[in-house]
Structures are given as structure tokens and as C-alpha cells.
Amino acid sequence: MPSSRASDQPQQHDHAPEQPGQPAQAQVPERDLSAELAKMEDRFKRAVADLDNYRKRAARDIERLSDERSDRVLLDWLEVVDALDRAMAQTPDGPLREGLQAVVEQVEAILARQGIRRIGQPGEPFDPSRHEAVEVRETDEAPARSVIAVLRSGFARGDRMLRPAQVVVAREPQPQT
């Protein structure tokens, strides 16, 4: 009885006969493989560049967030510096003033180690990016647009302003009419 199994039927192949040394897969022109390889390499290079950009952006974001958190803590401590400055202004010479001065110097040393510096000194030119003018006084004792008094020190960390100085700014006297 004849068998109806597929193994008894002669096999037919839809592809070209095997070449010696070639795999038994369908033959793909070499130029198609080269083009596909070039596309894959391009996609790989773009993915690597995207990953590198993501890493850099994430590092910048982390550094910015860390700086912002640190700045908030430092701004809280600047209130202590302000209180010490007010106490120094109200305290006459004597042992209490010497003790306050020692604390002020210690706090300023700590701030300096954190890269914080005071902004605003009498005599320097008014700079709206560093100073907040809270008063303008007419005077001929100081150049116009210069700081004549600092009401509250400002502070900066590197090139970033933590808080501008509150200052009194000189203005030329207006002629009496």
C-alpha cells in the first residue's frame, strides 16, 4: 500500500542549490547586507549619543538640585548672620562685643569654606545684579550711583547670587530752584 506520508514524497526546494562553502539559507545580495549593516550602525551610534546626552543632562539636573537644596539651607543660616550683625551694631565695646565678634568670625570662616562670600561694601559702585537699592540719598560726599551704606549684607556662592545686598545708593544733589 502506498504511503501518503510527506517523507515519501520527493522534496522540492524554492531556493537556489547550495554553493560549496555557503550556508543553506536564501542568498541575499551583499549590497543589501551592507546597507542594512550601515543602518544598524547608524542607529547604534545615535542610541549611544542619546544615552550620553541623557547621562550628562541627568548629572546636571542632580547637581542643580543639590545646589538648590544647599542654597536653601545656607539662606536659613544667613538669618543667623543677620542677627549677629544686628547684635554687633547694638553692642558697645566690651567683653560681650568681643564674644560676638568671635562668633561672627567663626560663622564667616564656615561660610568661606562653603565658597560663600559677602557682597556689598560702602564705596563700591551700585550693581543691580548684586545690590538691592532700598534708599537713595542725595550727597556730594560720595560719587553718584555708589553704595554709601549697607543695611543687610548680600551673599554669593561662586558666580551665583544667594541674596543681594540691601544698600543705600548715592545720588547727586538736585539744584535748589
Side-chain angles (χ1 to χ4, degrees):
M1 173 164 155
S3 171
S4 61
R5 288 188 286 173
S7 63
D8 293 340
Q9 302 291 327
Q11 293 185 344
Q12 296 179 1
H13 298 285
D14 292 338
H15 58 82
E18 287 185 31
Q19 299 289 325
Q22 295 288 323
Q25 300 173 350
Q27 298 296 311
V28 180
E30 193 173 306
R31 67 178 172 265
D32 289 347
L33 290 176
S34 295
E36 186 67 24
L37 178 61
K39 287 179 188 177
M40 299 285 279
E41 285 178 343
D42 183 57
R43 287 177 49 196
F44 173 75
K45 288 177 183 177
R46 288 176 188 268
V48 168
D50 287 345
L51 179 61
D52 188 46
N53 289 337
Y54 172 76
R55 285 182 180 154
K56 290 176 183 176
R57 185 173 54 251
R60 281 191 309 267
D61 289 348
I62 289 169
E63 184 176 346
R64 180 184 50 80
L65 289 171
S66 174
D67 287 346
E68 287 174 2
R69 179 163 292 157
S70 174
D71 290 352
R72 282 193 300 263
V73 170
L74 287 169
L75 285 171
D76 289 343
W77 278 101
L78 294 183
E79 292 177 24
V80 174
V81 172
D82 293 341
L84 288 169
D85 288 345
R86 286 190 300 271
M88 288 286 294
Q90 300 297 319
T91 306
D93 287 338
L96 182 58
R97 183 172 181 85
E98 291 174 14
L100 281 174
Q101 184 62 41
V103 172
V104 167
E105 289 172 5
Q106 185 179 17
V107 168
E108 287 183 348
I110 291 168
L111 291 174
R113 285 194 302 265
Q114 298 301 313
I116 309 299
R117 69 183 191 289
R118 276 191 193 252
I119 301 294
Q121 295 294 321
E124 68 186 23
F126 175 75
D127 178 355
S129 67
R130 300 175 42 185
H131 304 115
E132 178 183 345
V134 294
E135 185 181 345
V136 177
R137 288 187 195 150
E138 292 183 359
T139 183
D140 18 342
E141 295 178 10
R145 296 190 49 82
S146 67
V147 174
I148 56 176
V150 178
L151 303 179
R152 185 183 78 178
S153 291
F155 291 89
R157 177 185 245 179
D159 59 349
R160 280 190 336 231
M161 288 299 296
L162 293 174
R163 182 180 83 185
Q166 290 182 340
V167 297
V168 178
V169 179
R171 177 172 68 188
E172 291 181 8
Q174 300 297 319
Q176 300 292 330
T177 53

